[in-house]
Every structure is written in C-alpha cells, then in structure tokens.
Amino acid sequence: MSAVLHGLGRFGLHLLRAWLDRPDGGIDIVAIQDAHHSLASAAALLQQDAKVSFADCRIAAEDGALRLDLPGRQPLRLAYWHGPAAGSPWLGRADWWLECSGDFASGEAARAFLRGRTRRVIVSATCPGADQTLVFGYNHEHFDRRAAVLSYGSCTVNAFVPLAAWLHARYGVAEAEVGVIHNVPPHRLAGHPHPVRRPCTLQTEGPRLLPFLAAERFHVDYVLIPYTGPSLIDFRFELARPAAAAALLDALQAACSTGPLRGLYALEAGTPSTAALALRPESAVLSRPLARLHGRRLVLPAGFDNENSAVRYLDLLEAVAQRGG
Ligand SMILES: NC(=O)c1ccc[n+]([C@@H]2O[C@H](COP(=O)([O-])OP(=O)(O)OC[C@H]3O[C@@H](n4cnc5c(N)ncnc54)[C@H](OP(=O)(O)O)[C@@H]3O)[C@@H](O)[C@H]2O)c1
C-alpha cells in the first residue's frame, strides 16, 4: 500500500522509525510532507534527535528526497515536500494519506486529501467525523472498506480501551477513571512553563467506543507538564465481579504475556523508571507492585511512551492493509 506521511513531528518521527523496523508490513511510505521542516532540517532531525535514533542508517538529503541507507537493504528514497499540505505535489498520488501533522484532525478537514489515487486518510488522533475509529487490539477487525477517513484513536484511547474491554469481559466494569500526566514535545516546552489541566479526547471516546461504559461513570483527569519524557497513566476501575487480587493480576499477567493483550500491555514485576519507558512499544506498561484491589476498586498505575503510540498506528495500518486496505 503506497502512502504519504504528512507531519514529521514527534508522532511522525516515531512512526518513521517503527516503519523502518518492519520492512515486510505491507506499507510503502513513498513520500514525506511537512509544513515545518525543510528537507535539510528533516535530515538533521533524523541524525540528531535525542530520543529516536536512526544511527543504523546513513541519511542524506538529495534531489528532493530523504535517502536512507540501511545495512543489507536497498537504499530508500522518500520524496520530500516542505510546505503546506494544500500545495503538496503528493496530493492524490498514493493509496493512503497518513495524516500525522495534528492539523487536520476532523473528518471534514481530512476528506480534502481524498483525491486522485488516494482512497484513504488515516488520522493519528481522535477525529470527529471520521468514518471509523479503529483501535488496534479492540475493534480493528471491524474495518469497513467503505470507510475513507479512519482514526486510530489516540495514545490515551489506545492505552485505555483494550484493557477496559478485557476487564469488562471477565469482571464487569461498572465505572472507570483515568489519570494522565502527559509530556509536551521539546519544541513546545517553552510555551508550557507550568503543569496545566486539559480536556482529554479519551473522555468522550471511551464511552463512545465501549458500549458498557456510561459517560457519567467515566472520568479522565489529564495534566500536561513541562517535561519531554515518557508519560504516566493510572487506571481505576470499579468492578462488578472482582476475583481475588492475586488471581486477577495473574489473569492479567497471562493476558499480557500470551493472551489477547499481548504486545499491547506489559504487567511488570517491578516498577520501571519513567525514563526506562522510552520507546517501549506497549500502549501502557503496568506495575504489579503498585497494582491494588480494595473491595471492588482496582487501581492499575502505569506509564507509557505516548509518542511511541505510533507503533499502534502502524499496527493498525498493517491490519487494514491485510484486509485489502
Ligand atoms: N505526541 C504524542 O504523544 C502523540 C501520540 C498520539 C497521537 N498524537 C497525535 O499526532 C499528531 C501530531 O502530534 P505530534 O506529537 O507529532 O506533534 P508535534 O511534534 O508538535 O508536531 C506537529 C507539528 O508541529 C510542527 N513541528 C514539528 N517539529 C517542530 C519543531 N522542531 N519546531 C516547531 N514546530 C515543529 C510540525 O508542523 P507545523 O509547523 O506545520 O505545525 C509538525 O507537523 C497530533 O494530532 C497528536 O494528537 C501525538
């Protein structure tokens, strides 16, 4: 499936890395489009980013393209366009438009990219008006080929929804709360000198995606903090039929290791430092020592590399491609 990547911000950069690591996933990124970075600045970003490493690639900007040489692979030439998306020569020239800029996160805005050969736009954020929101590991198998604008959810939606669905199927979720302490991208740090409470799209997307979760029985407390590392996310569930704490956590452990939550979550025997969560591919890394069950109330403290939620987006792209995308 040929695709144009729009947006080389934190999400786009993580996506590019994850995509390079999975050469056989059926997605062929042929061009990158970014309003902020020139080709030279994009090449420098790849060479110098403090977190996402492209040290295994030789990177060059040549003839309007990013050239990436990976050992043992054919050189990759990704055409590069610096400028507003509306003027991109790549409009309508690939099967998919990967909308990762953050600037077109509505169905109406995203539909502007459906032209020429481009039959699908996949938005890396909650997207009101999208034809479908598909959360990998929850409802990605419900992909409808008529859906032209897809949303992958968001980092918090992916962190919460499959876990809540799994808990509900076994123990019944009567209420839930999520506390998020979220980073900011390095280039926006100066504009965020203090922690600030913000609305989170999970607040509306959670009950919309999970029919058992009544909106009035769900709450998200989201705080953006002036810090650029991995983030924290704590889940609290009121369960209708809880098992004993050890049995419940053993079942969760098994689901994360070999069951339906495999690859999506980890339940760690210790509590990883927040820094150690950088580039972890799971949607949330739960800490067993911090987990607790008081009566019906289950508390699951976790951390996540929200930027690396791009791995879930790539999982979804590959799943959609396999279904004839
Ligand atoms: N970061 C996450 O944790 C995360 C997780 C899941 C989903 N998402 C979603 O993915 C989309 C993109 O998010 P993002 O985190 O990638 O945003 P971001 O890093 O702030 O990048 C967004 C845009 O900011 C501009 N930008 C990039 N680098 C810059 C720099 N060094 N200096 C100044 N401006 C720069 C770019 O274009 P412009 O100059 O044209 O703005 C870029 O497309 C959003 O819809 C977001 O909700 C993000």
Side-chain angles (χ1 to χ4, degrees):
M1 213 59 64
S2 65
V4 172
L5 166 58
H6 179 213
L8 203 53
R10 300 309 303 164
F11 192 93
L13 194 65
H14 284 71
L15 175 62
L16 185 60
R17 179 67 259 185
W19 173 72
L20 288 174
D21 291 337
R22 291 199 205 165
D24 303 320
I27 312 300
D28 184 16
I29 296 179
V30 292
I32 298 177
Q33 142 81 47
D34 189 83
H36 174 77
H37 291 288
S38 66
L39 174 54
S41 137
L45 176 70
L46 266 60
Q47 283 158 344
Q48 294 160 14
D49 190 71
K51 178 181 169 200
V52 185
S53 171
F54 292 84
D56 57 336
C57 310
R58 208 170 63 79
I59 295 158
E62 62 178 36
D63 302 332
L66 260 183
R67 181 180 160 140
L68 304 174
D69 289 297
L70 287 122
R73 286 170 57 182
Q74 291 290 325
L76 275 171
R77 275 191 99 256
L78 306 181
Y80 194 89
W81 169 254
H82 174 214
S88 170
W90 280 92
L91 284 173
R93 285 179 56 193
D95 300 322
W96 291 355
W97 183 271
L98 309 182
E99 183 38 57
C100 300
S101 73
D103 293 335
F104 297 86
S106 73
E108 191 187 348
R111 262 171 245 285
F113 301 118
L114 293 169
R115 58 170 85 174
R117 180 175 167 175
T118 305
R119 64 173 184 278
R120 220 163 313 287
V121 180
I122 302 113
V123 180
S124 74
T126 298
C127 181
D131 298 318
Q132 280 194 294
T133 296
L134 295 175
V135 176
F136 185 81
Y138 172 61
N139 66 346
H140 67 271
E141 291 174 352
H142 297 160
F143 165 59
D144 179 345
R145 292 193 60 163
R146 292 166 301 179
V149 176
L150 300 177
S151 160
Y152 103 112
S154 70
C155 56
T156 53
V157 166
N158 276 272
F160 175 72
V161 166
L163 174 65
W166 181 85
L167 281 168
H168 182 69
R170 293 186 72 104
Y171 310 111
V173 168
E175 290 182 25
E177 287 184 3
V178 181
V180 185
I181 297 177
H182 199 283
N183 76 349
V184 296
H187 58 271
R188 301 200 193 279
L189 201 51
H192 291 281
H194 309 293
V196 53
R197 290 185 189 278
R198 283 279 168 82
C200 177
T201 58
L202 173 60
Q203 181 70 60
T204 47
E205 289 300 289
R208 203 175 70 75
L209 288 160
L210 299 165
F212 61 83
L213 190 61
E216 63 278 14
R217 290 174 177 253
F218 180 58
H219 195 81
V220 183
D221 290 301
Y222 181 101
V223 181
L224 206 58
I225 62 166
Y227 147 88
T228 59
S231 299
L232 298 175
I233 186 160
D234 294 349
F235 307 103
R236 293 178 283 279
F237 297 95
E238 193 72 20
L239 300 176
R241 313 174 297 277
L248 189 155
L249 293 175
D250 286 347
L252 181 55
Q253 179 93 59
C256 294
S257 319
T258 52
L261 302 181
R262 183 170 176 214
L264 305 180
Y265 297 90
L267 179 61
E268 301 273 297
T271 304
S273 72
T274 315
L277 297 172
L279 298 174
R280 287 284 298 255
E282 298 91 346
S283 301
V285 177
L286 312 162
S287 158
R288 185 157 181 155
L290 296 181
R292 53 204 186 267
L293 183 69
H294 297 300
R296 294 171 186 269
R297 192 166 179 77
L298 174 68
V299 183
L300 294 172
F304 68 143
D305 185 340
N306 45 292
E307 297 177 346
N308 211 30
S309 178
V311 173
R312 272 312 77 68
Y313 178 88
L314 182 61
D315 286 340
L316 179 65
L317 298 184
E318 291 177 356
V320 171
Q322 276 168 17
R323 285 163 179 76

